[in-house]
Amino acid sequence: MRFGKIAYLNLLPFDVFIKKYPISWGFKKFLQLKKSYPARLNKDFLMRRIDAGFISSIAGYYSMRKNQTTKAGIISKGAVWSVIALPKANKDDYQSASSNALAKVLGINGEILIGDKALRYKLQGGICVDLGEKWWEKHHLGFCFGRLCFNKNARFYTHLAKCFVGARIKIPHYILQDKSTQSGVKQKDILAYLEHIHYCIGKKEELALRRFYTSLRLKNIKKPARF
């Protein structure tokens, strides 16, 4: 089973969870090899080079239509810190289709920045607009930036997602220390950042996704497709 994962701090709790989850060595090995940025995973998923993964919500639309989604996602309730627009000339972030589309839906101009580099910019006091915060102000709903979707092995991935969102995860100090060194973000800031994110997609999150998809249609914003 080929699983792809976003290589950002926002899925650090999943990294900790999957280390203890009873799966094959081959699955975990592939997971370590197939870490990338969201737009790349979207393409791999749509081209079926991976069977499942945390896919950008804009690409997850097709999986939703086919009932190939789980209740696990990457959701902010208000400010997210790692998806921002800088006060510069309009420029999409090649790494994220959902964030670029969200900015257009919200009518926000600027250079879009996502992931750990966006988090570092925010923590250093850079001037920016937080897209998660702006979505919350408009809809009073959290925004789902990514969702665990699958092309096959529905039973396995549905159960994995259920276990993940139901788990109480404590990040060991040595992992936190290692991620801090890799990302250039202080340990206390990583923990503060993760407080802005949750992973369970419930009724309100489903409603937010439907509103997002409706906005894409009304503004004629194209979704990623197979090439």
Side-chain angles (χ1 to χ4, degrees):
M1 290 181 284
R2 301 166 301 173
F3 190 91
K5 195 184 78 64
I6 300 168
Y8 294 153
L9 288 171
N10 56 17
L11 277 181
L12 180 53
F14 183 79
D15 288 342
V16 174
F17 164 81
I18 206 69
K19 287 178 180 295
K20 296 183 178 180
Y21 191 75
I23 50 178
S24 69
W25 178 88
F27 182 100
K28 293 184 179 181
K29 181 67 174 179
F30 189 90
L31 179 62
Q32 295 305 313
L33 294 173
K34 208 62 179 181
K35 289 185 177 182
S36 190
Y37 52 86
R40 177 64 182 273
L41 289 182
N42 291 346
K43 185 176 180 179
D44 287 343
F45 182 76
L46 294 171
M47 294 294 292
R48 293 183 177 269
R49 289 194 285 261
I50 56 176
D51 301 324
F54 282 90
I55 308 305
S56 292
S57 57
I58 192 171
Y61 171 80
Y62 306 107
S63 295
M64 182 196 71
R65 292 287 299 272
K66 294 184 289 186
N67 198 29
Q68 292 181 330
T69 58
T70 71
K71 296 297 184 182
I74 304 168
I75 308 119
S76 71
K77 187 177 181 180
V80 68
W81 291 12
S82 60
V83 181
I84 57 178
L86 280 57
K88 299 181 180 180
N90 289 353
K91 181 181 178 182
D92 288 348
D93 190 316
Y94 73 94
Q95 295 189 350
S96 177
S98 282
S99 300
N100 296 331
L102 178 59
K104 292 179 175 67
V105 164
L106 294 170
I108 293 174
N109 297 318
E111 180 181 342
I112 307 304
L113 201 62
I114 72 162
D116 297 353
K117 61 182 181 295
L119 178 59
R120 288 193 296 270
Y121 180 91
K122 170 84 172 181
L123 291 170
Q124 290 166 5
I127 298 172
C128 62
V129 175
D130 190 302
L131 299 191
E133 185 173 29
K134 288 301 180 182
W135 173 268
W136 175 265
E137 289 174 359
K138 184 173 182 179
H139 296 282
H140 217 64
L141 291 167
F143 187 80
C144 183
F145 288 95
R147 187 171 196 175
L148 203 170
C149 303
F150 55 84
N151 287 318
K152 54 197 242 183
N153 301 312
R155 185 175 180 179
F156 172 82
Y157 288 112
T158 300
H159 185 262
L160 184 149
K162 183 179 180 180
C163 292
F164 171 54
V165 299
R168 299 182 66 179
I169 299 168
K170 183 177 180 180
I171 302 170
H173 177 72
Y174 77 94
I175 292 180
L176 191 61
Q177 189 174 42
D178 183 55
K179 290 297 182 181
S180 176
T181 300
Q182 291 178 22
S183 65
V185 179
K186 295 178 181 178
Q187 296 179 42
K188 65 179 181 63
D189 290 332
I190 293 176
L191 294 176
Y193 165 58
L194 292 175
E195 290 180 1
H196 289 256
I197 298 170
H198 67 279
Y199 302 95
C200 183
I201 297 176
K203 291 182 179 180
K204 289 185 177 181
E205 289 77 16
E206 293 281 6
L207 174 59
L209 280 169
R210 289 197 295 272
R211 289 190 182 179
F212 178 55
Y213 295 143
T214 298
S215 297
L216 295 178
R217 177 175 55 81
L218 292 175
K219 290 182 177 290
N220 197 29
I221 298 173
K222 293 183 179 181
K223 306 175 185 69
R226 294 184 65 178
F227 297 95

